[in-house]
Amino acid sequence: MTTDHPFLSIVIPAHNEEKRLPPSLAKIDAYLKKQDYTYEVIVVENGSRDRTSEVVREFAKDHPYVRLIEVHTRGKGLAVKAGMLAARGEYRFICDTDLSMPIEEIAKFLPPVREGYDVLIGSREGEGARRIGEPEYRHIMGRVLNFIVKLTAVSEFEDTQCGFKMFKRKAAEDLFSVQRMSGIGFDVELIYVALRRGYRITDVPITWYFDPDSRMRLFQDSLKILLEIWEIRQNWRKGVYAPHGASRQHSPADV
């Protein structure tokens, strides 16, 4: 169901996803057809070496609500930023290609289930969340990363790195316009800035299925996120994230 101003935009960053995209797009299509609101799906191809773009174009021929954006420089943060700023929806949802969170769970992020929030973070931790099929060592890897994030940047949430997040239109246009991180730290960056902007944020417990094709690496990712968190904090101190035309306002969190 297409419109210039849809209720929901789903943004899918995709790097070398020619195999996983077709079944995921089919599941998303089957779900959206049952909804009474308007929608669009934006797939952001990100430096792929396979037929990712081609499979999206083929699907879009019969599904005009699907759009393809190509971002040739690698970086999930770059891909998500491009998709979220190109989106036109009142609600804008970041969605991993693997649909490790079943698409039906998107209802948990939308009214009437959740109202009054600007940013909603999918969470695989806490009451109501379920992690299915995940090996213990992978869970430990995730908790180590989250411990680093809580210690150095964002202590309020248990799962900043979950690949499923919802932003209301105004929050998305504001936050993604100042986003700088292109790698693993972009999630932390967005939440870090959103908290200091005073946005209303909550986490949403989800059911999540482990994907053995996950590319998470404990040592490399931990080191990278530490470096990016340092850059995020420096950017905040320098006023990089100040709204356009606004003066930088210090907060107790600057230290």
Side-chain angles (χ1 to χ4, degrees):
M1 187 183 301
T2 58
T3 177
D4 289 339
H5 301 286
F7 176 73
L8 174 66
S9 297
I10 297 177
V11 174
I12 307 173
H15 172 67
N16 291 337
E17 295 288 6
E18 67 174 358
K19 294 182 179 178
R20 293 197 294 191
L21 264 174
S24 292
L25 288 172
K27 290 176 183 178
I28 292 171
D29 179 62
Y31 175 75
L32 291 176
K33 283 180 177 176
K34 300 175 184 176
Q35 309 311 310
D36 59 4
Y37 51 71
T38 54
Y39 48 79
E40 66 176 354
V41 173
I42 300 174
V43 180
V44 187
E45 186 282 315
N46 186 212
S48 300
R49 298 182 300 276
D50 64 1
R51 297 184 63 255
T52 294
S53 291
E54 286 81 351
V55 300
V56 177
R57 290 192 185 99
E58 290 169 7
F59 191 86
K61 288 178 182 177
D62 299 319
H63 303 84
Y65 66 85
V66 175
R67 286 196 282 155
L68 172 68
I69 296 175
E70 294 177 297
V71 176
H72 299 297
T73 303
R74 280 285 294 119
K76 184 178 180 181
L78 291 175
V80 171
K81 177 176 182 173
M84 293 295 271
L85 292 179
R88 299 167 297 198
E90 185 61 28
Y91 291 87
R92 304 180 186 186
F93 188 69
I94 306 173
C95 181
D96 279 350
T97 311
D98 61 3
L99 287 187
S100 51
M101 181 201 81
I103 192 61
E104 292 78 11
E105 301 247 312
I106 202 171
K108 295 180 178 180
F109 296 78
L110 291 167
V113 180
R114 290 288 193 287
E115 293 193 77
Y117 295 100
D118 304 300
V119 181
L120 299 98
I121 305 166
S123 179
R124 299 162 291 187
E125 297 291 333
E127 185 177 355
R130 293 196 301 155
R131 308 174 76 111
I132 298 174
E134 182 183 35
E136 184 63 24
Y137 79 94
R138 298 293 295 191
H139 190 195
I140 292 171
M141 289 168 64
R143 300 318 295 155
V144 169
L145 274 177
N146 185 255
F147 175 76
I148 292 170
V149 171
K150 292 188 73 171
L151 192 65
T152 58
V154 176
S155 61
E156 290 86 349
F157 302 102
E158 291 296 327
D159 194 8
T160 57
Q161 300 311 111
C162 181
F164 301 90
K165 295 180 176 68
M166 185 81 78
F167 296 79
K168 288 198 73 174
R169 177 181 57 82
K170 289 184 179 179
E173 291 172 354
D174 177 28
L175 295 171
F176 285 94
S177 71
V178 299
Q179 177 201 331
R180 295 292 182 271
M181 297 297 105
S182 62
I184 189 173
F186 87 94
D187 297 275
V188 176
E189 179 185 33
L190 291 165
I191 298 169
Y192 186 91
V193 176
L195 285 167
R196 285 151 182 79
R197 286 271 216 275
Y199 284 111
R200 298 160 296 178
I201 311 172
T202 190
D203 48 18
V204 178
I206 63 170
T207 298
W208 178 83
Y209 291 81
F210 173 70
D211 181 358
D213 191 33
S214 171
R215 297 156 193 176
M216 181 179 172
R217 304 163 300 173
L218 179 58
F219 177 76
Q220 295 96 322
D221 287 350
S222 296
L223 178 59
K224 187 171 184 180
I225 205 165
L226 270 174
L227 293 172
E228 293 194 348
I229 286 172
W230 181 85
E231 187 175 348
I232 291 164
R233 296 178 70 91
Q234 292 299 309
N235 285 345
W236 179 264
R237 291 189 180 98
K238 294 174 183 176
V240 172
Y241 301 124
H244 296 297
S247 61
R248 167 74 161 80
Q249 295 183 354
H250 294 273
S251 80
D254 289 352
V255 297

